[in-house]
Each structure stands twice: as structure tokens, then as C-alpha cells.
Amino acid sequence: MRMSFRRHMREQVLSAAHVLTVEKGWDRVRVAEIATRVGVSRPTLYKEFGDKQGLGDALIVREGERFLAGIRRVLDEHRGDAAEAIVCSVRFTLEEATDSPLLKAVLTSNPADVRDENARGTGILPLLTSSTTLLQIASHELVCWFAEHFPQLDGDDVADGVDALVRLTVSHLVLPAGDRQNTGRQISRVALRYLGLDEPPCATLTLDRDH
């Protein structure tokens, strides 16, 4: 019962922190404000997360895990179709980053900025306190998935194709050059052609929430 309450409280705290961070930036969020919103004491939050940085790290971990779980789900849904898996992975990333400003900040974080103590309190939030970006982790997931399900593809080609895919996706997130639908299709085509895969006939990347 106690563990259930703790998990519930932790989720409420992270949800409140997420809302406040998106509204005004992590540097302006106060632990006391989060505690008031959730209805718990500041000592309770400090006991659970250690300090504000610990709370921020937990928030980023949750956002990162949610994104990676989504990528894995997309890949699992297209185990027999490498081309469709690429298209849908790009679509998922563009959709998620558009819907979540916090996730977009995480995906486009610069590891050098994370190590700079002067930059840690600015903007929305730094990435995880390691030099590995979330998209690098996602890239590794993609490469391993292709190696497992499509061993006939050259490993070096897959690694290079995924790297190009990730870099183009990040470039679009940082500086959008067009609408998500067309950009997503263009990004996917680069990787598909590099790997010698045919574009899925239905790869229109229609995004229900596209504006």
C-alpha cells in the first residue's frame, strides 16, 4: 500500500513538473510550487528526489523512457517490413516532438551543454547527466533491431543509414524546413535509398495532428 502511494505521488510530482517546465522553463520552476500543486510537503519531495536536479533528472528519464518505448512499439509492429519501420519511426518521432516541447528539447540537446554547469539551469532542461543523447540511444535501438530482423542488410550500411536518419530528423526539429508530412517523407527516402529499400506504396506519412 505504501509503495503504491509512493508511485502515485511520484507520478503526480513528475506530471506537475512537466506542466510547469513546458509553461515557463525549468530554471523558473520551484520545488515549493510543485509541492503545492501536488499537495505534499517540500521535505517529502526532497526525500524522494534528493534535490531539484534529481527531480529534473527523473523527469527527463521518464520522458526518455516513454519515447524509447514508443520507438520499440513502432518497430515491433513492422518486424517484417524494414522500409515501413523506417517511415513509421520517423513519423513517430516528428509527432512526439511536436506534441511535447520537453521531449523536443531533450531530443535536440547538445551533450556539451549538459556538461557545462553554466548551462544546466537555463532553458527547459538538460538531457540526462551523461554524454549520451536520447537520439543516440534510439539510434542504437534501430541498428540492433535491423541486425536482428534483417541480417541480410550490411551492418555498416545500416549504421550509416540510421546515423543520417537521426541527423536529418534532428535538423528538422531544430530548424523546420517544411511541414512534417513532406519532411518526414524526404527524411525516410534518404535512408531507404541508402539501404536499397523500396519506399512503401502507402508511405504518405499522413499525420492526423499535422497543421
Side-chain angles (χ1 to χ4, degrees):
M1 184 72 175
R2 180 176 297 177
M3 287 301 295
S4 178
F5 171 77
R6 180 181 173 184
R7 285 194 294 269
H8 178 68
M9 182 272 292
R10 184 181 179 89
E11 185 62 27
Q12 282 190 313
V13 169
L14 293 177
S15 295
H18 183 281
V19 171
L20 290 171
T21 299
V22 171
E23 286 179 355
K24 58 184 181 180
W26 179 244
D27 55 326
R28 296 183 180 180
V29 174
R30 299 291 177 263
V31 173
E33 184 178 15
I34 297 173
T36 298
R37 283 205 174 197
V38 178
V40 298
S41 65
R42 279 190 296 172
T44 297
L45 294 193
Y46 286 125
K47 182 179 180 180
E48 178 68 25
F49 298 99
D51 54 16
K52 183 182 176 181
Q53 183 60 49
L55 173 58
D57 288 343
L59 179 58
I60 290 301
V61 167
R62 187 184 75 155
E63 196 73 1
E65 289 177 344
R66 184 183 65 80
F67 173 73
L68 290 175
I71 286 290
R72 295 183 188 113
R73 184 177 64 254
V74 169
L75 293 175
D76 286 343
E77 290 173 352
H78 302 285
R79 292 182 180 179
D81 192 335
E84 191 70 29
I86 289 176
V87 171
C88 291
S89 295
V90 173
R91 177 175 60 191
F92 174 80
T93 301
L94 295 179
E95 287 178 342
E96 291 297 301
T98 298
D99 289 346
S100 173
L102 177 56
L103 177 62
K104 179 179 178 180
V106 175
L107 292 175
T108 58
S109 291
N110 185 340
D113 293 338
V114 176
R115 295 190 294 270
D116 182 356
E117 290 298 325
N118 294 323
R120 291 178 67 82
T122 61
I124 241 182
L125 263 183
L127 186 53
L128 299 172
T129 54
S130 72
S131 60
T132 303
T133 69
L134 182 58
L135 276 175
Q136 286 175 325
I137 298 173
S139 297
H140 180 71
E141 292 275 347
L142 283 167
V143 171
C144 291
W145 183 83
F146 275 105
E148 178 182 356
H149 296 285
F150 298 93
Q152 70 273 21
L153 295 176
D154 182 82
D156 290 336
D157 286 347
V158 169
D160 290 342
V162 168
D163 181 68
L165 193 70
V166 168
R167 291 178 185 277
L168 288 171
T169 301
V170 171
S171 295
H172 173 72
L173 294 177
V174 173
L175 188 63
D179 64 80
R180 288 178 296 164
Q181 179 174 331
N182 290 329
T183 301
R185 187 184 301 113
Q186 292 168 354
I187 291 173
S188 299
R189 281 174 178 166
V190 171
L192 293 174
R193 290 175 180 174
Y194 189 87
L195 294 174
L197 300 172
D198 294 328
E199 183 177 3
C202 58
T204 57
L205 255 75
T206 300
L207 306 178
D208 295 336
R209 296 185 294 275
D210 203 19
H211 299 291

